[in-house]
Amino acid sequence: QVQLVESGGGLVQPGGSLRLSCAASGSIFRIRTMGWYRQAPGKQRELVASITTHGSTNYADSVKGRFTISRDNARNTVYLQMNSLKPEDTAVYYCNLAPDRRAYWGQGTQVPVSS
């Protein structure tokens, strides 16, 4: 049984920063590529960043240079550092495997970017 619990969201002004965390239960975390996804109002969920077990990362063009994904395998946790946030980053952010597994979607954490 795998559970993924996201935290760290909240209202932030344009140009601000946030750090999201995703705590994973279950042993699958350490052997899988993990991803951060987001779903903006009225839009489909999209993958914004992923990280392999060895630390190789990939980013969507829209966040490249502003977001940084990292993982702590000892703590079964994956992070998303978000800098220079823009109103268009407003979304609910989720973590999951990459590619995602339907059964592992959690509640997500909301990130409204607004002045």
Side-chain angles (χ1 to χ4, degrees):
Q1 185 87 15
V2 174
Q3 282 190 314
L4 301 170
V5 180
E6 303 91 349
S7 62
L11 178 64
V12 62
Q13 292 187 341
S17 298
L18 276 179
R19 188 193 195 203
L20 307 183
S21 299
C22 171
S25 63
S27 59
I28 197 170
F29 175 87
R30 300 187 184 190
I31 60 172
R32 296 293 187 181
T33 296
M34 296 297 297
W36 278 100
Y37 301 75
R38 68 184 180 187
Q39 186 166 20
K43 295 187 177 181
Q44 288 191 332
R45 189 152 40 196
E46 62 173 344
L47 175 66
V48 296
S50 63
I51 184 167
T52 69
T53 54
H54 299 296
S56 296
T57 58
N58 273 294
Y59 298 93
D61 288 343
S62 59
V63 306
K64 203 170 291 184
R66 300 187 297 120
F67 290 11
T68 303
I69 189 171
S70 60
R71 66 191 294 164
D72 185 338
N73 289 334
R75 289 184 168 84
N76 279 10
T77 302
V78 61
Y79 305 98
L80 187 67
Q81 177 67 42
M82 306 187 296
N83 298 328
S84 302
L85 282 161
K86 305 175 181 180
E88 51 263 44
D89 294 318
T90 294
V92 180
Y93 284 73
Y94 304 85
C95 66
N96 203 319
L97 307 185
D100 65 272
R101 297 278 183 91
R102 183 181 299 180
Y104 296 165
W105 290 114
Q107 296 299 309
T109 186
Q110 294 202 19
V111 179
V113 182
S114 174
S115 55

